[in-house]
Amino acid sequence: MSYHLILNKFSSFIGIITLSLFIYSISMDVQQHNWYSVWALLPQDVTEQVKKVMNSLRSELGGPEFEPHVTVVGAIRLTEDEAREKLIKACDGLKAYNMTIEKVDNTGRLFLLHKTPEVMETGAHCWSHFGYKGETPYMPHLSILYGDLSEEEKKRAQEKANALDESIKKSFPITRLALYKTDPEDKALESWEKVSEVTLKSD
Ligand SMILES: *[C@@H]1O[C@H](CO)[C@@H](O)[C@H](O)[C@H]1NC(C)=O
């Protein structure tokens, strides 16, 4: 074989390897990027109380089942490793904090929370660690029902949530932030799952 022929074969070999690596890295990328959110987890007793309210609303108005939570960072596209690392780093600079429920909002689908400095600062701190920019400013809330409701249903949900409101403890500590996989396209929420959880330092 002439020197040129060998060189030709060699460079096409390298070309194929490079191309395969390129395609492989693209496919890995597609596999690894997912939608992740950061949730503040409620204490166990509050979780139980909120679940009862959610079950009651859902039995009348439908919608998917989900774990009670307060979103701190909305859905953002990352690899799992990136997301886990960002959560650990963000929590490193945070302490356990308190939340207080203010009232049921006028759609009957969520409880609004008091925008206390610690709640808002925790949001801002996590947004900056995750490089997240929301379409609207951070609005701390606790969802109790998902799905589109007619005006009539909203009224009914609001009445019902207000009636059940008293069964929920209004102020509680947040000691855990969790990373959840939350694909916004998955309306049944079947793919939503907890990926990791970090306990916040307390004083
Ligand atoms: C949270 O509230 C409890 C009870 O009111 C209080 O003892 C505690 O100091 C508060 N924690 C923070 C971090 O403000």
Side-chain angles (χ1 to χ4, degrees), residues 20-156:
S20 331
L21 281 176
F22 179 62
I23 290 169
Y24 178 69
S25 68
I26 289 178
S27 63
M28 285 303 286
D29 219 38
V30 168
Q31 278 170 21
Q32 285 187 356
H33 277 88
N34 272 304
W35 293 100
Y36 293 96
S37 304
V38 177
W39 290 2
L41 301 181
L42 313 177
Q44 200 54 44
D45 56 343
V46 182
T47 296
E48 297 306 323
Q49 294 160 359
V50 174
K51 269 188 181 168
K52 281 190 189 139
V53 171
M54 290 164 80
N55 289 344
S56 169
L57 284 168
R58 211 172 51 245
S59 70
E60 187 176 330
L61 297 152
E65 203 172 339
F66 56 95
E67 194 61 23
H69 65 277
V70 173
T71 299
V72 180
V73 180
I76 179 167
R77 235 174 138 64
L78 295 167
T79 67
E80 186 176 322
D81 286 349
E82 285 169 342
R84 283 174 180 271
E85 199 173 311
K86 282 176 196 295
L87 181 67
I88 290 169
K89 285 201 175 137
C91 289
D92 195 38
L94 286 176
K95 282 188 181 152
Y97 61 109
N98 287 330
M99 272 182 185
T100 303
I101 293 176
E102 188 184 337
K103 59 173 183 190
V104 177
D105 85 326
N106 59 14
T107 70
R109 291 185 303 186
L110 49 94
F111 287 111
L112 294 168
L113 303 172
H114 280 295
K115 294 183 179 177
T116 58
E118 48 183 350
V119 166
M120 299 311 281
E121 279 160 19
T122 302
H125 175 90
C126 290
W127 282 29
S128 98
H129 269 274
F130 275 79
Y132 177 79
K133 288 178 183 63
E135 283 164 25
T136 50
Y138 184 44
M139 199 263 290
H141 65 277
L142 173 58
S143 291
I144 46 178
L145 185 67
Y146 283 164
D148 296 322
L149 300 181
S150 66
E151 286 310 311
E152 206 48 46
E153 287 169 328
K154 279 182 194 167
K155 241 172 147 181
R156 182 69 193 119

